[in-house]
Amino acid sequence: MRYDGLEGKVVVVTGGNSGMGRGIAEGFVAQGAKVIVGDVNGTPLPQVLFHRTDVSQPEQVRALIDFTTASCGRLDVLVNNAGINGALVPLAEQTETGIDAVLGVNLKGVIYGLKYGLLAMTRQRGGVIVNIASVQGMRPIHAGASIYAASKAAVVSLTRSAAHEYGGHGIRVVALAPGPIDTPMLRAADPHGAIVDSVPLQRIGTSNDVAAAVLWLASDAASYVSGVLLPVDGAFMAA
Ligand SMILES: NC(=O)c1ccc[n+]([C@@H]2O[C@H](COP(=O)([O-])OP(=O)(O)OC[C@H]3O[C@@H](n4cnc5c(N)ncnc54)[C@H](O)[C@@H]3O)[C@@H](O)[C@H]2O)c1
């Protein structure tokens, strides 16, 4: 399927070496976009530029955006996708190190992506930022994911603030709330696939399901869509 306005666009995907980030990167490549992946681990797709990036480190996120604008001239779309689950243990048993790790990647990583992405997009007067939140920000799935859930709820708040503050610069900021999606992260958290019983559409989602929504949100067809949270969850949150 073609999505208007994505051919030739410069797109950064964080955490694009695995799971849904990889699917999102593949989706943009298939639309003819130039894709830059920032990740700490894994092997990049052959069709993308790779810049090793730990999103919890602000200078590394700034370097990723600088690398993109220096090598491709601009930044049209940023997908803040990198995330970690952290330890699935009850709230009172969360360690300070574990809390810092989850908030460092899932919350501060998105803040740094927004900060440096918005700076680049403000200079060129336009762009789209897609933040990957989670249905868990609204409704717990895995017992013990309280810090993860809080980080994802904060991503929704950041999305609304950024959309509000930067709409006047022609920048759209949106969030996507995936339900259970078949990736290494979900397989580690739910090895027996029990979560499918809570999904009205009675299947686990795929990276392609998420990529299709991200491509639409980034495309010209969604040019009046900003500040929203789009669930891609098989009606998980409606159940
Ligand atoms: N899989 C699900 O069911 C699900 C549901 C809702 C939301 N999410 C969110 O979707 C996003 C992608 O998750 P996934 O399921 O594809 O997970 P995944 O573990 O398959 O992939 C995550 C990627 O992020 C990278 N990453 C981790 N820490 C990083 C860091 N500090 N800097 C840069 N990259 C880093 C990893 O190396 C990996 O390539 C995450 O934000 C996750 O919270 C996942």
Side-chain angles (χ1 to χ4, degrees):
M1 188 185 291
R2 300 309 293 176
Y3 294 84
D4 284 349
L6 296 183
E7 189 163 3
K9 287 284 162 71
V10 177
V11 179
V12 168
V13 182
T14 67
N17 282 353
S18 173
M20 66 180 85
R22 197 172 179 90
I24 292 165
E26 276 177 323
F28 278 108
V29 166
Q31 298 296 319
K34 291 179 204 162
V35 178
I36 299 91
V37 164
D39 204 313
V40 270
N41 283 314
T43 309
L45 291 162
Q47 312 94 319
V48 306
L49 286 173
F50 178 63
H51 196 267
R52 189 164 297 282
T53 308
D54 179 345
V55 297
S56 70
Q57 303 303 312
E59 71 284 0
Q60 295 193 29
V61 179
R62 185 173 55 191
L64 171 66
I65 302 302
D66 285 351
F67 169 80
T68 300
T69 53
S71 53
C72 300
R74 53 190 291 114
L75 169 65
D76 296 304
V77 180
L78 168 63
V79 184
N80 285 315
N81 164 78
I84 57 172
N85 245 341
L88 295 177
V89 296
L91 183 49
E93 291 163 36
Q94 296 279 347
T95 64
E96 287 179 17
T97 309
I99 294 167
D100 286 347
V102 171
L103 296 183
V105 179
N106 296 5
L107 175 53
K108 285 186 168 181
V110 172
I111 293 173
Y112 300 142
L114 282 165
K115 175 177 167 61
Y116 293 110
L118 287 166
L119 281 172
M121 289 176 181
T122 302
R123 284 195 294 272
Q124 68 196 27
R125 291 205 60 76
V128 183
I129 300 181
V130 182
N131 295 323
I132 303 298
S134 171
V135 291
Q136 292 212 72
M138 322 298 138
R139 175 187 166 188
I141 301 183
H142 305 296
S146 53
I147 307 304
Y148 176 89
S151 72
K152 294 300 188 178
V155 167
V156 178
S157 170
L158 280 165
T159 301
R160 292 186 177 132
S161 294
H164 185 226
E165 288 180 11
Y166 286 86
H169 295 269
I171 300 168
R172 295 191 293 115
V173 188
V174 295
L176 200 135
I181 306 296
D182 184 23
T183 69
M185 179 187 282
L186 182 70
R187 278 173 240 144
D190 180 32
H192 305 297
I195 188 68
V196 75
D197 294 340
S198 308
V199 182
L201 282 184
Q202 298 185 355
R203 71 173 176 86
I204 301 291
T206 66
S207 293
N208 286 343
D209 291 323
V210 175
V214 172
L215 293 174
W216 177 74
L217 284 167
S219 77
D220 291 348
S223 64
Y224 200 53
V225 179
S226 191
V228 298
L229 173 67
L230 177 65
V232 179
D233 69 347
F236 177 87
M237 276 207 285

